[in-house]
């Protein structure tokens, strides 16, 4: 059970993704963890998903009779993933309207474990400054290191952060790129542990590729990062679209795991930001105002 | 041309990409969806390698599995200097084989820990980490005494061998499995030397060496 000291009612009442529905073998037990609590999940032959508290009786990859489970947690399937909530769901899962566009390729790039807190992972996802150094020759290259000024706003209902007009020179913005280009990014943060990135499509100047990161907090300092791709790409097979994103994430992993402290400090005096960190500053302030305590070091009162 | 059945995040695939980059051997990668697709367990791949493991190469119809075996094959065929796989010296060759076996032990401990933490493999994580630390302690001592004798590499002699490339990837990726290398200073110096071998290339999770000591 979750340690009482670690309870964060806001986070507990939100939906969190546990895994891609397609990757679950029907009729079997899968084990994972959410907010420190061991869970089992699975799906039946009709793709109906189930999530329930782990018990000794249920062993990984053994058959399970879902009808015989006595207590299941709330469950939804959205964007190809199984989502659950440990408390009472306080809001709907955010909308990604592009997901249902008929010509989009939707796939899970990977679900990967990282030794870091969920907010650190989101903050890294929002950062463009590291592109030339960590994703050299792909998402950035020297001397094109400048993060040009961009706009960050919080929606009127305080539900979502939006960063727009983010421009960056990228040698190879996606698997479908033919060469270097100035790429425009838009970031949404509609959930403390989820972010959605829109970037110019190399194939259609009027539309954008969508890359989402849904962070499943295993505990305060360990996560599973689920990466949804919803892209316009008619040529490349799933495997190379996936491989591109896994390469990017594999490069981020050691950076994330070497962050110290692992939890995100919310006290504005703790880390010194620069202008390029505008979205990170907004994100930290937004978490602080929401009263998030899980995966962060709260500001002194 | 050589076909390499490849997964970008695999250290065992990386060591072959590394040797081929160093030797200037051209190859064509065939991406295998190791994760999340588990394509290395699919029927078409099992025909290629019944063990269901990466990497595999196809060199003009000659199919070979096992990272260490492929290193030996590639070095024997494509390194005319015979330095990477030194068949001319029985002692040196014996050492190379000894450390190639050690590389397999690193795979079953340090690499297994990384698969557990990163891709949720169902392994005994404490046993993996303890096993890796035991190997790293042995490796660190060996390298430390070697440095004392003027040896830069795993095997005696002035040139690196396939044994260095076989052991390197899962040592340098160990932190992804929660295995710190802080207590192994000789290992850290050795990994830096490997990174400075002409033709060295990186993979996700491995960074190039920092600026080297200035030679004026």
């Amino acid at each position: 059970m979750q340690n009482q000291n670690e309870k964060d009612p806001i986070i507990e009442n939100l939906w969190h993704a546990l895994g891609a529905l397609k990757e679950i073998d029907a009729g079997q037990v899968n084990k994972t963890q959410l907010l420190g609590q061991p869970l089992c999940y699975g799906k039946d032959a009709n793709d109906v998903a189930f999530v329930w508290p782990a018990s000794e009786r249920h062993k990984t990859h053994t058959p399970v009779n879902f009808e015989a489970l006595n207590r299941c947690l709330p469950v939804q399937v959205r964007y190809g993933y199984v989502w659950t909530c440990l408390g009472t769901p306080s809001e709907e899962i955010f909308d990604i309207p592009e997901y249902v566009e008929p010509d989009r390729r939707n796939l899970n790039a990977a679900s990967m474990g990282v030794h870091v807190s969920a907010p650190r992972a989101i903050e890294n996802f929002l950062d463009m400054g590291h592109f030339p150094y960590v994703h050299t020759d792909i998402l950035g290259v020297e001397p094109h290191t400048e993060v040009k000024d961009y706009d960050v706003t919080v929606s009127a209902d305080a539900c979502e952060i939006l960063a727009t007009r983010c421009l960056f020179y990228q040698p190879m913005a996606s698997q479908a790129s033919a060469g270097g280009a100035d790429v425009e990014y838009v970031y949404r943060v509609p959930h403390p542990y989820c972010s959605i990135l829109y970037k110019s499509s190399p194939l259609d100047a009027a539309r954008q590729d969508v890359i989402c990161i849904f962070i499943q907090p295993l505990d305060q300092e360990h996560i599973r990062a689920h990466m949804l791709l919803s892209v316009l790409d008619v040529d490349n097979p799933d495997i190379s679209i996936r491989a591109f994103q896994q390469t990017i994430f594999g490069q981020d992993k050691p950076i994330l795991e070497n962050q110290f402290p692992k939890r995100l400090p919310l006290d504005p005096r703790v880390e010194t930001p620069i202008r390029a960190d505008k979205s990170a500053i907004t994100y930290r302030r937004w978490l602080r105002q929401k009263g998030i305590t899980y995966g962060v070091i709260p500001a002194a009162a | 041309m050589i076909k390499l059945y490849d997964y970008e995040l695999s250290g065992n695939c990386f060591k072959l990409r590394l040797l081929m980059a160093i030797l200037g051997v051209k190859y064509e990668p065939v991406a295998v969806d190791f994760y999340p697709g588990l394509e290395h367990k699919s029927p078409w791949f099992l025909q290629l390698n019944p063990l269901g493991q990466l990497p595999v190469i196809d060199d003009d119809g000659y199919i070979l599995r096992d990272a260490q075996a492929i290193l030996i094959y590639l070095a024997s065929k494509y390194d005319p200097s015979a330095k990477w796989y030194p068949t001319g010296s029985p002692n040196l060759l014996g050492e190379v084989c000894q450390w190639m076996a050690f590389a397999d032990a690193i795979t079953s401990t340090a690499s297994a820990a990384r698969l557990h933490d990163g891709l949720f493999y169902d392994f005994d994580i404490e046993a993996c980490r303890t096993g890796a630390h035991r190997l790293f302690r042995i490796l660190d001592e060996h390298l430390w005494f070697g440095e004392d004798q003027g040896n830069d590499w795993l095997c005696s002699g002035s040139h690196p061998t396939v044994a260095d490339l076989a052991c390197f990837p899962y040592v340098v990726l160990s932190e992804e499995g929660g295995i710190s290398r802080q207590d192994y200073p000789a290992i850290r110096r050795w990994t830096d030397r490997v990174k400075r071998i002409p033709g060295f290339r990186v993979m996700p999770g491995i960074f190039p060496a920092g600026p080297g000591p200035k030679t004026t």
Side-chain angles (χ1 to χ4, degrees):
Chain A
M1 280 308 286
Q2 204 179 339
N3 183 332
Q4 287 302 313
N5 299 332
E6 295 192 349
K7 279 214 179 254
D8 180 330
I10 298 156
I11 294 297
E12 195 159 291
N13 292 332
L14 289 174
W15 292 97
H16 301 276
L18 298 184
L21 186 73
K22 242 190 205 170
E23 290 162 27
I24 302 173
D25 289 325
Q28 292 195 0
V29 175
N30 294 271
K31 289 199 162 180
T32 189
Q33 194 173 295
L34 179 63
L35 301 169
Q37 182 165 333
L39 297 179
C40 292
Y41 66 101
K43 71 174 184 190
D44 67 14
N46 301 316
D47 268 358
V48 177
F50 298 85
V51 180
W52 66 99
S55 75
E56 287 301 314
R57 283 186 303 129
H58 294 118
K59 307 248 181 281
T60 306
H61 295 134
T62 57
V64 55
N65 176 12
F66 296 109
E67 283 167 18
L69 295 169
N70 42 29
R71 189 170 85 85
C72 284
L73 294 172
V75 62
Q76 281 195 60
V77 174
R78 286 296 292 277
Y79 313 125
Y81 296 83
V82 176
W83 298 68
T84 194
C85 174
L86 292 187
T88 310
S90 56
E91 53 190 71
E92 284 302 302
I93 297 171
F94 47 86
D95 205 22
I96 309 172
E98 294 77 11
Y99 183 82
V100 293
E101 292 173 0
D103 58 345
R104 285 204 177 253
R105 304 262 298 273
N106 293 316
L107 52 131
N108 177 34
S111 300
M112 287 202 182
V114 191
H115 187 187
V116 71
S117 63
R120 283 276 193 202
I122 293 296
E123 196 182 77
N124 180 73
F125 189 72
L126 299 177
D127 172 55
M128 289 181 290
H130 74 286
F131 289 167
Y133 310 104
V134 177
H135 309 300
T136 314
D137 297 334
I138 307 175
L139 300 186
V141 66
E142 290 183 79
H144 307 276
T145 57
E146 190 202 1
V147 178
K148 298 181 189 79
D149 196 22
Y150 55 95
D151 297 323
V152 187
T153 53
V154 177
S155 62
D157 55 5
C159 281
E160 182 164 330
I161 299 172
L162 188 68
T164 54
R165 235 170 27 89
C166 310
L167 283 169
F168 211 84
Y169 176 81
Q170 302 202 321
M172 196 180 165
S174 82
Q175 189 61 33
S177 300
D182 269 318
V183 178
E184 184 170 2
Y185 275 40
V186 169
Y187 290 98
R188 288 173 55 196
V189 186
H191 177 300
Y193 298 166
C194 298
S195 182
I196 303 156
L197 160 65
Y198 298 81
K199 63 191 286 184
S200 338
S201 158
L203 302 187
D204 182 345
R207 298 174 67 194
Q208 292 152 316
D209 283 335
V210 182
I211 301 170
C212 309
I213 188 158
F214 306 143
I215 305 289
Q216 170 191 350
L218 297 171
D219 61 29
Q220 302 227 42
E221 298 185 356
H222 293 84
I223 62 163
R224 276 203 333 174
H226 305 286
M227 288 169 280
L228 167 68
L229 303 178
S230 182
V231 295
L232 302 164
D233 187 330
V234 285
D235 296 324
N236 289 293
D238 283 3
I239 176 167
S240 51
I241 297 174
R242 256 191 196 136
F244 181 87
Q245 198 57 35
Q246 290 191 12
T247 295
I248 299 297
F249 196 75
Q251 292 171 338
D252 279 318
K253 200 166 184 279
I255 305 293
L256 288 169
E257 293 184 335
N258 282 300
Q259 300 256 18
F260 183 82
K262 295 219 175 274
R263 300 179 199 195
L264 188 70
L266 296 189
D267 189 323
R269 292 160 299 185
V270 171
E271 287 177 6
T272 310
I274 55 172
R275 195 191 59 176
D277 297 330
K278 214 149 114 180
S279 52
I281 298 164
T282 308
Y283 176 61
R284 291 184 187 199
R285 191 189 306 131
W286 183 70
L287 293 179
R288 198 160 66 232
Q289 286 167 351
K290 274 183 176 295
I292 303 296
T293 58
Y294 202 84
V296 303
I297 301 170
Chain B
M1 201 192 302
I2 298 172
K3 266 191 207 158
L4 169 64
Y5 293 86
D6 192 25
Y7 178 62
E8 180 74 12
L9 302 186
S10 155
N12 273 333
C13 293
F14 165 70
K15 61 180 76 160
L16 305 186
R17 300 195 294 263
L18 180 54
L19 178 64
M20 289 193 277
I22 291 169
L23 295 178
V25 175
K26 288 208 165 40
Y27 67 95
E28 178 197 339
V30 180
V32 177
D33 186 2
F34 177 86
Y35 183 82
L38 299 179
E39 207 178 359
H40 57 302
K41 305 291 181 195
S42 66
W44 77 263
F45 191 86
L46 290 174
Q47 295 242 314
L48 214 53
N49 178 1
L51 296 176
Q53 290 169 344
L54 287 170
V56 170
I57 60 158
D58 178 342
D59 189 2
D60 243 344
Y62 176 65
I63 292 169
L64 194 64
R65 65 170 187 250
D66 187 288
Q68 272 61 268
I70 299 169
L71 283 176
I72 289 173
Y73 168 77
L74 291 172
S76 303
K77 185 162 178 186
Y78 296 102
D79 171 28
S81 76
K83 285 183 170 159
W84 286 95
Y85 190 63
T87 44
S89 159
N91 287 23
L92 193 49
L93 195 55
E95 288 172 39
V96 169
C97 293
Q98 171 187 291
W99 289 106
M100 296 295 261
F102 194 84
D104 281 327
I106 294 174
T107 300
S108 58
T109 52
S111 165
R114 176 172 173 259
L115 289 174
H116 173 276
D117 282 11
L119 307 183
F120 321 107
Y121 276 58
D122 195 10
F123 292 142
D124 179 345
I125 184 62
E126 285 318 313
C128 294
R129 288 186 187 140
T130 307
H133 278 295
R134 180 174 154 263
L135 297 173
F136 285 10
R137 171 61 54 213
I138 293 167
L139 180 61
D140 190 65
E141 271 183 27
H142 170 75
L143 288 165
W144 193 92
F145 284 112
E147 284 175 344
D148 205 40
Q149 304 289 311
N151 284 337
D152 277 347
W153 309 106
L154 279 181
C155 305
S156 45
S158 59
H159 196 276
T161 64
V162 287
D164 293 283
L165 305 188
C167 291
F168 173 79
Y170 292 120
V171 168
V172 87
L173 292 166
S174 72
E175 273 158 356
E176 293 191 7
I179 300 154
S180 164
R181 292 188 306 282
Q182 201 168 345
D183 295 336
Y184 311 113
I187 289 183
R188 290 206 305 274
R189 291 190 293 272
W190 166 73
T191 56
D192 261 6
R193 289 194 289 274
V194 173
K195 289 177 176 186
R196 293 200 169 91
I197 294 172
F200 181 81
R201 53 172 286 172
V202 294
M203 69 167 269
I206 300 180
F207 293 97
K214 285 228 162 63
T215 46
T216 45

